[in-house]
Structure formats: C-alpha cells, structure tokens
Amino acid sequence: MPMADLYNNPQALDETAAAAHRIEEDMRTIWFENEDIQAADEPYLLPLLQESFACWRKDSDEQAMPAGGQFVLLDLNSNVIGSAGTMEINRQAEAIAAARQAAADSMTSSESATEDERKLEAVAVPVLTRSDRRPFCVLVYVTDFLDGAQAKSIAQLSALHFRTCFYRRFEQLYIKDLLLQQKRTDKEASRRDALFLAAKRLYDQFDVTSVLSEMLSSLEQLYPNSIAQLYLSQDHVNGDSRVKPLVFKNAAHDLVAKSFLEGKLVTEQDRDGTKRLAVPMTGKQAAYGVLCLTVNASSWDDADLPAFVLLADTAGTAFENAKLYEQSNLLINELRLINELTKRLNQSLKLKEIFKFASSELLSVFDADYCCVLQLNKEKNQFVVMASNIPAMSSEHFSPEYGFCGIVHRTKEPLIISDYWHTRVVNSKLMDNTGARSLIATPILVDSEVVGVIMVAHKSANFFSYDNYKLLQVMSTHIGLAITNASLHAEVRRMVITDNLTGLHARHYLNEQIQSRQRKDPLGALILVDIDHFKQINDTFGHQVGDQILVQVSSIIRSSIRQGDIAARWGGEELAVYLPGIRSEQAYRIAERIRTHVEAETQPVVTVSCGVSEWTFENEKISVESLFYRADMALYEAKNNGRNRIYIGQAN
C-alpha cells in the first residue's frame, strides 16, 4: 500500500504498526538478542541517529508525507537531530518549538501530545531500546490538519519505522565492527604466523650474513610497501646495500643514533607523510645495531609496532647466536691451527726450515699476498730477512730503527695498518716495493726480548681484521718457542761437537762426518797435525801458555782450509783436518801451508809435524780407522825424522 494511503487510513496504520512490531520481534530472535546500545554509548549516538534518520526519510519518501505535517527527531536533551516533512517553511521554526515542548512533556508524563493557540498539534513518541525499553531519542510529529488520534497513529508508526531503521543501521555498524575485528584478528593471526616462521628461519641460520639477509627478507614480506635498512654498530662485510655501518654524527637529531643510544623505539614523520621508525637490534649481551623502517604514514597501522619490535628483538638474538657460533668456530679453528702449527714447527729443529715453514703457513692462514720473517742478529745489530715470498727481500738486512720492524722492536707491541698509502707513518721497503696497503706485524719475543719480527701484508686496504691481528700475536708466540727450541738445540749440538778450548770440532763429530762422506764421495784426504815438543812448552811456560799455543795453531788451521773442510781436535796436542774430494798431493800442499804459518805466526814459536793419508772408492778397505791409521803412521815417521815436516802415508 502507498505511504500516502497509510497516512490517510487509520486502520491501515494500526495494522501496519502491528506488523512492524511483529517483524521487529522476529528480527530480535534472529539478530543479536542481547546486543543493544548502552548508556555509555549515548555520547557517541549522534552520528548513528543522523544516519538512521536519513535512512528513515529515504524509506518514508518525504514527498508522500501528509500535507502540512512535520517530523522532528530530538535527543534526550531536546536538541534537534533532524527534521522532515511538508509544513510550510515559515511555520517550521514554530513546529520545532512545539516539538521540543512535546518531547520534554513526553519525558516527564504519559501525555505525548500538545496543542498551541494556532491549532498546531505535536505528538511526541520516545524511541526505546529493545533490551530494557529505555528511551534514547524522541520522534515528534507536528501537524495542524489531522485530529489527535490520527496524528498519534502516524507518530507511533513513524517512530516504529525509525526505530527499525535505527537498529538496522546499528546492526550494520555492529556487523561492520565485527568484521573489522575479525579482519584484525585474522591479520594478527597471519602476522603472528609470519613472525613465527620468520623467527624460525632466523634461528635456523648459523651464519651472520644469512641472519641479516633473512631478517630483511622477512621485513619485506611483512611490510611490502616499506624500505628496510639495518645499521650495524660493528664491522661486518656484507654485500647487501641495505646493511650499513652505524655512524654517530649528530645523535640529537639522528633517528638511528638516538634509538641506539636510548635503547628504545624512536619514530618521526616528515611533512610529505613519510614515517620512519628505528628500533635497536638487541641480544642478551649487547645492542648490535638499529633496524630502520621507512613507510608511508597513510599505509602504516600503529598496531603493527609490537610485531616490528618483536622482529627486531628476534633478529638481535639470532644475530648474537650466529655471532657467538661464528666466534666459537673461529676459536676452534684457531686452536686447531695453532695446534697443527706447533706440531709441525716442533718436527724440525733447524732454524731455516722453521722460518720457511712459518712464512708459508702465515701466507696461507691470513690469505696474504706477502710475508717476511726477520731475525735480529745481535752481533751485527740488524734485522735479517730469514724467510719471504718476495725474492728481492731474501737475505735483506735492516737497522733495528728502520720502518715497521723498528716500531715493533722499539715498542715490543704488534701493529696493524689499514691503509699504508693514506697513513704513511714510516717508510717501508716491503710496502713500497710490493704496492701493499694492509699490514699486520708482531714481534717474536723470547724472555721478553725481541728476537725477530713477522710482517704480513696484502694489496687491498682494510684487508686484515682485528681477529687476524690477535691471531698473529698468538702464532708469533709459538713460532718464537720453536725458534728458541731450535736455537737451544743448535747450541747444545754445537757444544757437543765442538772442543771448548780450540773451537774446532770434537773427534767423534769428525769420525761421523768422514763416515758420511765415504758413503757418497769418491775420495778424500786426512791431515793429522801434532805440535812438536808440546810437553816441553807446558813444562817451560806453563799449561796456560800451552793452551794459548793450541788456540793459535787451531786458528791458523781454520784460516788455511776451505769452508767445507772439517777441522777437529783429535786429542791432546794433536789436531786433524779432513779434506773431502782431495787427493794426498793437494792435501800435502795444504799441510805445508799450515806448517809454515804455524812456524811464522805462533808466539812463543812452535812447529808442527803432519801426517797425510787419502782414500778413494777403489780402495779395498775404506774405513775411518784405516784412514787415521795411515795418517798416524805418516805422522810418526815425520816425528822420527826430525819433526817440523810432512809425510804421506802409503796405502797397504
């Protein structure tokens, strides 16, 4: 039935009102029986009432309303929320005044209709809540054409209609709020799942670089329209351009520095609507950097802040774990390396082999381009290059004050040079000749004294890390111990194979060397030297002078033979010289040189007698004993024939 017909038919109005009431009751059984507006909602009702009134006007078709009638919606304080109808404009203010009066009366008495002297009738119907039947607004119908009963029916029907529109809108808002809450819940659940998966992936990584890459990838997934950057407070080489060093320039105005120093989330928003958030990436032991997110403020929800902070905390813990794992592996590898180095160093007791092995190992361990191991020669007071992969540096020697080895020698401390080209504190032949830029150097200490210097260099700047610097110090200690052991062994062996008085080799060493030579040489010769009348010298001048004579004769022998020849004290005043690769004729000339020099250079003057023998691979019997026997027999003949002469022993 058309709306205008309803307004003009009281019975139809009553039937429609009853039907609306039944529909409303049915709706209450379907929709949210227990949901209704509460007293606490009243301050926020105005927008909902305005929207509901607009919806009611649209449903009621304002043009079909009774002529000369006006509907006014008021709140409980008689404030007009909306007005609609066909009343003349010049009477609308009057109608609103009548409506206010009727609304006020309806809230204090059971009467809901008023009438003024100009025959305006106003019927006020409080609109009640559906749960506790409490009024929350008043709909007033003002007219001057209808009688009271008809006006009242229209007002009641319209109030029921408005109430239905109101609760329909209320339910829509409620559903919208539920959907919004559901959406937020789903989003939160999705975010929680994403955070869980991100945390799992982060904790699955044992490599620092992988942790950082995974964290940045997770941020891109969680916040696809953002720009993520990480500022690390410690050195870390990473190929990702989003990972940057944390630099403190202006902490008061630098968002990242402020977040790191204060240890909390810091945000700022630019005029263009860009929002920046910075949160420390913190582990249990320290803060390792700051995670910075740049987003558009319009697309950012502050509800995402906890997830962002949680991800930063998770990344900090994962980074710390990876760092500790990396450090533990590095320590294990260093211990294994040091153990292997020590083991291999101690396998050799020859200084040259130790220096050579140390140099090659240092090049391998530090992935270096160049290495020099220098030893301090205390007698000459200079550093000598004992091992190097630079041919031009082999056997080079430097003053203890020169270059980086001079700094290390003076301070007894290691040093690290990040870029020699830009920080040339001293001149260095190693760095200049090779074009190297990075250097680590450390002293080789023995009993707190510098006995050598290790220098390791690379062509690239900033190549060596602080861990390399520390490792070289540890390795130098073990190299120093190996050098000490080799030096002690060499000294002990020298003492064992050397006669303390003359400085010549001991007899057993001479025997060992002759046996060794006879196994690989084709021939050799032996000279036995005996000081004539040595007992008489001791008796005349004393044993101290006798010892001096032995020293003088030994010195003459050393100066008269080749570098590869072996001179030894055979016993008492008898001395021996083995000449590898020489026949008896040549040996005779050397013996003659010794004899003449002894007679000319000793003080007091003494003479010597010599016996010479030889061996060749053609001899039937080749032995040390036979060689000495023939030389001894020749010496015996020289003494019996007047002394101060030389005889050659004949082979049997």
Side-chain angles (χ1 to χ4, degrees):
M1 182 179 293
M3 198 70 173
D5 295 340
L6 284 175
Y7 287 138
N8 297 318
N9 189 335
Q11 184 179 357
L13 285 172
D14 293 338
E15 292 176 357
T16 303
H21 184 72
R22 287 194 302 273
I23 292 172
E24 182 184 8
E25 290 298 322
D26 291 341
M27 291 291 290
R28 288 179 60 188
T29 62
I30 299 172
W31 293 95
F32 319 107
E33 273 186 52
N34 300 321
E35 296 301 330
D36 203 351
I37 59 171
Q38 306 297 325
D41 298 328
E42 290 179 1
Y44 310 103
L45 278 178
L46 180 59
L48 182 57
L49 290 170
Q50 290 172 336
E51 292 174 10
S52 301
F53 188 74
C55 180
W56 173 81
R57 287 179 62 178
K58 183 178 179 181
D59 286 352
S60 300
D61 188 2
E62 189 172 354
Q63 299 300 321
M65 290 182 180
Q70 192 74 16
F71 291 94
V72 182
L73 182 68
L74 301 101
D75 63 15
L76 298 181
N77 295 320
S78 297
N79 297 314
V80 177
I81 297 172
S83 176
T86 59
M87 186 170 285
E88 296 175 0
I89 295 177
N90 59 355
R91 301 200 69 187
Q92 286 187 3
E94 183 182 351
I96 289 175
R100 280 187 170 135
Q101 183 61 48
D105 292 343
S106 70
M107 300 304 295
T108 57
S109 67
S110 59
E111 296 294 333
S112 60
T114 63
E115 185 176 339
D116 65 10
E117 62 277 6
R118 295 183 62 191
K119 304 301 182 182
L120 272 180
E121 184 172 347
V123 181
V125 180
V127 183
L128 307 178
T129 59
R130 61 188 180 186
S131 58
D132 54 5
R133 312 296 293 177
R134 178 176 51 81
F136 60 89
C137 67
V138 180
L139 183 67
V140 181
Y141 177 56
V142 183
T143 182
D144 58 358
F145 290 105
L146 301 176
D147 60 27
Q150 191 176 9
K152 183 177 180 180
S153 297
I154 292 174
Q156 290 176 340
L157 176 61
S158 298
L160 285 173
H161 184 201
F162 171 78
R163 188 168 179 266
T164 302
C165 291
F166 173 82
Y167 276 106
R168 186 171 66 218
R169 184 60 183 158
F170 171 76
E171 288 160 359
Q172 289 174 352
L173 290 175
Y174 188 80
I175 292 294
K176 183 179 179 181
D177 186 59
L178 283 178
L179 291 174
L180 182 60
Q181 290 184 20
Q182 182 63 41
K183 184 177 180 181
R184 287 180 176 175
T185 301
D186 293 344
K187 182 180 179 182
E188 186 62 29
S190 176
R191 182 66 49 81
R192 203 162 40 241
D193 292 343
L195 283 172
F196 174 77
L197 292 175
K200 186 177 184 303
R201 289 194 300 267
L202 283 171
Y203 285 129
D204 284 344
Q205 307 301 324
F206 292 100
D207 176 69
V208 172
T209 301
S210 299
V211 168
L212 299 181
S213 299
E214 184 60 48
M215 180 195 64
L216 293 169
S217 297
S218 298
L219 276 174
E220 289 179 349
Q221 294 175 8
L222 290 169
Y223 310 104
N225 297 320
S226 65
I227 299 175
Q229 291 178 314
L230 176 64
Y231 296 86
L232 284 179
S233 60
Q234 53 185 248
D235 292 338
H236 178 71
V237 178
N238 190 295
D240 196 324
S241 60
R242 296 170 296 179
V243 180
K244 308 174 185 297
L246 178 57
V247 180
F248 297 90
K249 291 184 178 179
N250 187 355
H253 299 89
D254 185 358
L255 180 80
V256 174
K258 186 177 181 181
S259 175
F260 183 82
L261 294 173
E262 295 181 0
K264 65 181 183 181
L265 173 72
V266 178
T267 63
E268 68 178 17
Q269 187 167 332
D270 297 336
R271 293 180 179 178
D272 61 358
T274 301
K275 192 178 185 72
R276 297 181 70 224
L277 307 96
V279 63
M281 190 179 74
T282 308
K284 293 181 179 179
Q285 297 182 352
Y288 300 100
V290 175
L291 189 59
C292 186
L293 196 67
T294 303
V295 296
N296 192 301
S298 61
S299 62
W300 174 259
D301 186 352
D302 285 340
D304 294 333
L305 276 176
F308 178 55
V309 174
L310 179 60
L311 182 61
D313 289 341
T314 304
T317 304
F319 179 87
E320 184 175 74
N321 291 342
K323 200 72 176 175
L324 291 172
Y325 180 78
E326 186 181 81
Q327 290 173 353
S328 63
N329 277 344
L330 181 62
L331 182 59
I332 292 170
N333 289 335
E334 286 182 1
L335 291 174
R336 186 183 295 116
L337 174 65
I338 291 168
N339 181 59
E340 184 65 23
L341 176 71
T342 304
K343 179 181 177 182
R344 293 190 62 183
L345 283 172
N346 290 331
Q347 286 177 350
S348 175
L349 290 173
K350 296 180 179 179
L351 277 174
K352 287 186 177 180
E353 291 182 0
I354 290 173
F355 283 122
K356 184 177 180 180
F357 171 73
S359 176
S360 63
E361 283 297 297
L362 291 169
L363 285 167
S364 174
V365 168
F366 296 106
D367 196 21
D369 290 326
Y370 310 106
C371 177
C372 277
V373 183
L374 302 95
Q375 185 179 26
L376 181 63
N377 186 325
K378 293 184 178 180
E379 294 180 359
K380 297 182 179 179
N381 192 32
Q382 62 184 14
F383 279 108
V384 180
V385 177
M386 303 300 295
S388 176
N389 67 324
I390 310 166
M393 296 289 290
S394 298
S395 301
E396 276 275 6
H397 56 273
F398 304 97
S399 164
E401 304 300 322
Y402 175 78
F404 291 114
C405 61
I407 295 176
V408 172
H409 178 255
R410 183 173 63 257
T411 62
K412 298 184 180 180
E413 295 289 339
L415 61 83
I416 181 168
I417 302 297
S418 299
D419 192 348
Y420 173 72
W421 292 3
H422 292 92
T423 55
R424 183 186 289 267
V425 292
V426 292
N427 291 326
S428 170
K429 190 171 184 179
L430 167 65
M431 306 298 282
D432 291 333
N433 288 0
T434 60
R437 299 180 67 174
S438 298
L439 172 75
I440 46 176
T442 187
I444 301 174
L445 297 172
V446 174
D447 295 331
S448 300
E449 293 296 324
V450 178
V451 300
V453 173
I454 298 172
M455 295 196 294
V456 182
H458 197 276
K459 294 178 181 178
S460 302
N462 305 300
F463 181 80
F464 299 112
S465 66
Y466 183 65
D467 289 332
N468 296 147
Y469 172 78
K470 293 189 296 182
L471 178 59
L472 182 61
Q473 289 179 257
V474 177
M475 293 181 70
S476 70
T477 301
H478 292 274
I479 293 172
L481 290 173
I483 291 173
T484 301
N485 290 338
S487 298
L488 289 173
H489 181 267
E491 179 62 21
V492 170
R493 178 166 176 76
R494 188 195 65 79
M495 293 174 64
V496 169
I497 66 173
T498 303
D499 177 68
N500 290 334
L501 176 63
T502 62
L504 301 180
H505 292 294
R507 179 172 178 171
H508 69 86
Y509 178 78
L510 179 65
N511 292 343
E512 293 171 2
Q513 290 299 308
I514 294 174
Q515 287 179 344
S516 175
R517 291 288 184 173
Q518 285 182 335
R519 284 192 291 269
K520 56 185 178 181
D521 292 346
L523 52 90
L526 177 69
I527 302 174
L528 286 183
V529 180
D530 184 79
I531 300 174
D532 298 331
H533 304 297
F534 188 72
K535 184 176 182 303
Q536 184 178 344
I537 293 171
N538 281 332
D539 293 342
T540 304
F541 299 101
H543 287 280
Q544 188 173 1
V545 174
D547 290 344
Q548 292 177 2
I549 291 296
L550 275 171
V551 172
Q552 291 178 43
V553 173
S554 299
S555 178
I556 291 169
I557 290 174
R558 277 196 298 270
S559 64
S560 301
I561 60 179
R562 300 169 302 174
Q563 186 174 0
D565 297 336
I566 304 167
R569 186 177 181 184
W570 195 42
E573 71 275 15
E574 291 180 322
L575 309 173
V577 180
Y578 179 71
L579 308 167
I582 284 182
R583 300 298 298 264
S584 57
E585 293 81 3
Q586 294 172 285
Y588 182 91
R589 290 194 291 272
I590 294 172
E592 179 61 22
R593 187 189 310 151
I594 293 171
R595 187 192 69 78
T596 56
H597 279 276
V598 168
E599 188 175 12
E601 297 174 9
T602 53
Q603 186 63 39
V605 177
V606 296
T607 60
V608 294
S609 300
C610 301
V612 177
S613 64
E614 68 170 18
W615 70 272
T616 67
F617 68 95
E618 298 172 344
N619 293 141
E620 293 182 5
K621 186 178 182 182
I622 302 174
S623 67
V624 176
E625 290 78 9
S626 63
L627 187 65
F628 270 97
Y629 179 78
R630 292 196 300 273
D632 193 35
M633 289 298 99
L635 176 63
Y636 181 76
E637 287 188 40
K639 283 184 170 293
N640 284 340
N641 287 283
R643 293 184 172 83
N644 193 20
R645 62 195 64 226
I646 303 166
Y647 272 74
I648 298 176
Q650 301 298 320
N652 295 330

